[in-house]
Amino acid sequence: MLSLYERAKQAQWNATTDVDWSIDVPFGCPLPDDSSFAMASFASSPLARRGRPMWDTFRWELQSWMVSQFLHGEQGALVVAARLVEVVPDLDSKYYAASQAADEARHVEAFSRYLNEKVPEPYPITQPLRELLEDLLSDSRWDITALGMQIIVEALAMAAFRLAHSTFHDDLICDITRLVARDEARHVTFGVMSLSGIYREMTTAELADREDMVLEAAVLMRRRFLLEDVWERIEVDRAEGVEFAAHDDLMVKYRQAVFSKVISALNNIGLLTPRVRGGLEKLELIGFADRALRPGYRR
């Protein structure tokens, strides 16, 4: 834990001076074609009948939506990190949690500035993310708060940041997410270190509570990626857009890619139980990245 804290101190960056804010963000401009896989997804989408420019509109709005949710998630993480300083049981963990609070403040600063200066109309927090953060912040059990934020929300964010080069459309947000991803990797490690071993000591009822929390969070986060707010803004029928996002192969693979970090973290803390794994499979959140974790598992 002290080694992680030392790495955190050495890896601090300044959102004002270490990011080139002069980089132009041509929001809404035409974009080059995606991969053939992505273009096939567009062809089968409700966007296709409105022409190729609509795909670019969707891609820019998706970026605006994702960065907006990054901001809202980081604001929640800032509150959680401050709370963890108070409730984690040992001094070394308090040191690290304090450094994470500084990280989260910097992330809020960077994403807020990007949205305020470069994006015409950022998005409010999605209802599923709001519900999850409210649940985490209202729970008095520190391990539930850490599990939800450090293992689920932070791991999802880290995976999304690392996919930024293929998801986003300007160099500025790619630079910001690269810097933030380095911090998030430490945050997930902190969560794994803090929670490793504690589930072996819990009663069956206590463990079931944690499994419930993971599965409820997974349902909310999957729903978040059905993009209800984006469909509404670009005037696509919400039900039709959600149906497409739920079943389109590209959308399914993206959700599996970002959830792969959550699955790995759950496995590392001993909470990828048969019940949790089965629930994630029903939600189509377990993909090829989970194959290495399967020895000994039986349906």
Side-chain angles (χ1 to χ4, degrees):
M1 191 67 72
L2 282 175
S3 176
L4 191 65
Y5 176 52
E6 286 298 325
R7 296 206 322 255
K9 289 191 291 184
Q10 295 166 12
Q12 296 297 299
W13 51 278
N14 188 320
T16 301
T17 59
D18 292 329
V19 175
D20 183 359
W21 292 100
S22 68
I23 295 174
D24 182 49
V25 178
F27 194 93
C29 288
L31 296 168
D33 281 355
D34 266 338
S35 66
S36 57
F37 186 33
M39 295 312 296
S41 179
F42 163 63
S44 65
S45 76
L47 304 165
R49 56 180 173 265
R50 293 166 64 179
R52 171 64 177 77
M54 193 61 189
W55 185 240
D56 292 348
T57 298
F58 170 75
R59 291 158 74 190
W60 279 114
E61 286 298 329
L62 180 61
Q63 175 170 318
S64 171
W65 177 85
M66 289 188 70
V67 178
S68 296
Q69 303 319 308
F70 291 160
L71 171 62
H72 302 312
E74 297 294 342
Q75 289 173 316
L78 174 59
V79 176
V80 168
R83 180 170 297 177
L84 289 176
V85 175
E86 178 183 3
V87 299
V88 288
D90 62 274
L91 186 60
D92 292 350
S93 296
K94 291 180 186 294
Y95 287 159
Y96 182 78
S99 76
Q100 180 173 327
D103 289 345
E104 306 296 7
R106 185 169 60 249
H107 301 170
V108 170
E109 176 191 354
F111 287 131
S112 179
R113 181 171 177 179
Y114 176 85
L115 290 167
N116 287 335
E117 295 183 3
K118 307 294 184 177
V119 175
E121 190 177 357
Y123 284 76
I125 188 171
T126 64
Q127 188 60 32
L129 181 57
R130 178 187 296 276
E131 289 180 23
L132 178 58
L133 293 178
E134 288 176 349
D135 287 345
L136 295 178
L137 292 171
S138 63
D139 201 299
S140 61
R141 296 164 293 181
W142 78 267
D143 76 283
I144 291 282
T145 303
L147 175 61
M149 182 55 70
Q150 306 292 122
I151 302 299
I152 297 177
V153 176
E154 297 274 29
L156 280 174
M158 180 176 70
F161 297 151
R162 289 182 171 175
L163 291 171
H165 67 282
S166 60
T167 309
F168 297 147
H169 314 299
D170 65 86
D171 290 339
L172 177 56
I173 194 58
C174 289
D175 286 347
I176 293 170
T177 52
R178 175 181 52 80
L179 290 167
V180 174
R182 296 189 329 211
D183 297 339
E184 299 293 4
R186 293 193 308 274
H187 301 173
V188 175
T189 299
F190 175 53
V192 169
M193 293 175 67
S194 299
L195 297 171
S196 291
I198 71 170
Y199 300 112
R200 292 195 299 269
E201 302 171 0
M202 289 187 175
T203 66
T204 300
E206 289 172 333
L207 183 61
D209 279 347
R210 277 66 180 176
E211 291 175 326
D212 288 343
M213 181 268 157
V214 169
L215 293 175
E216 289 166 6
V219 168
L220 288 171
M221 292 302 92
R222 178 187 179 276
R223 179 183 153 203
R224 180 173 67 133
F225 283 108
L226 298 183
L227 309 178
E228 295 170 280
D229 303 334
V230 176
W231 303 125
E232 184 174 304
R233 178 170 293 184
I234 62 177
E235 299 181 336
V236 169
D237 179 78
R238 180 183 288 228
E240 188 178 8
V242 166
E243 178 71 12
F244 167 74
H247 300 292
D248 175 71
D249 198 35
L250 178 65
M251 298 285 191
V252 171
K253 294 298 185 188
Y254 180 81
R255 290 194 293 272
Q256 290 177 347
V258 294
F259 266 87
S260 66
K261 296 297 183 183
V262 177
I263 292 164
S264 176
L266 289 171
N267 184 65
N268 287 336
I269 63 175
L271 204 53
L272 191 62
T273 64
R275 181 180 172 222
V276 168
R277 186 193 293 268
L280 294 175
E281 286 180 335
K282 288 179 182 178
L283 293 169
E284 294 187 291
L285 297 176
I286 291 188
F288 66 91
D290 180 56
R291 298 296 184 259
L293 305 180
R294 297 187 65 88
Y297 171 67
R298 298 291 183 270
R299 291 180 184 272

